Amino acid sequence: MDKTIVDALRGLDHGPDARLNAVAEFTKAVIQNRGNVADRELADFLAAGFDEAAALEVVLGVSLATLCNFSNNLGRPELNPELTPYEWRGAEVEAAE
């Protein structure tokens, strides 16, 4: 994926792709509302060309990411060496550098 898009998503900004922006906005709503998204948020996601199965896929993705993040935070494994160039330490850390 293009670095500009990745940076926009990591920074919670909008990128050049309207469909990715719709996924990002819907995902934020799912996380913030613990799945209890407003009708308007779901309608906006569907209007971007997604269906209800895709909405459930977002929920699945959020749940998988949560499980992985919690487990990795608990276990503190080393990052795979081949992934080191892609390591992200948070927007606050990167902004301070």
Side-chain angles (χ1 to χ4, degrees):
M1 187 175 283
D2 183 88
K3 184 179 180 339
T4 304
I5 294 171
V6 172
D7 289 344
L9 292 171
R10 283 180 167 174
L12 303 179
D13 296 325
H14 285 107
D17 187 313
R19 282 181 52 88
L20 282 179
N21 292 334
V23 172
E25 288 299 318
F26 185 68
T27 301
K28 284 189 275 187
V30 167
I31 293 168
Q32 290 171 348
N33 299 296
R34 298 180 178 174
N36 189 23
V37 297
D39 291 343
R40 180 88 232 136
E41 292 164 325
L42 178 58
D44 289 346
F45 182 70
L46 299 175
F50 296 98
D51 59 15
E52 291 179 355
L56 288 175
E57 289 176 10
V58 169
V59 172
L60 175 62
V62 168
S63 64
L64 179 59
T66 301
L67 175 64
C68 291
N69 288 336
F70 283 22
S71 298
N72 286 324
N73 287 340
L74 182 64
R76 293 175 176 72
E78 294 288 324
L79 183 63
N80 294 3
E82 66 273 15
L83 298 177
T84 302
Y86 308 103
E87 180 179 13
W88 187 59
R89 297 169 291 159
E92 298 82 21
V93 173
E94 289 184 355
E97 293 179 340

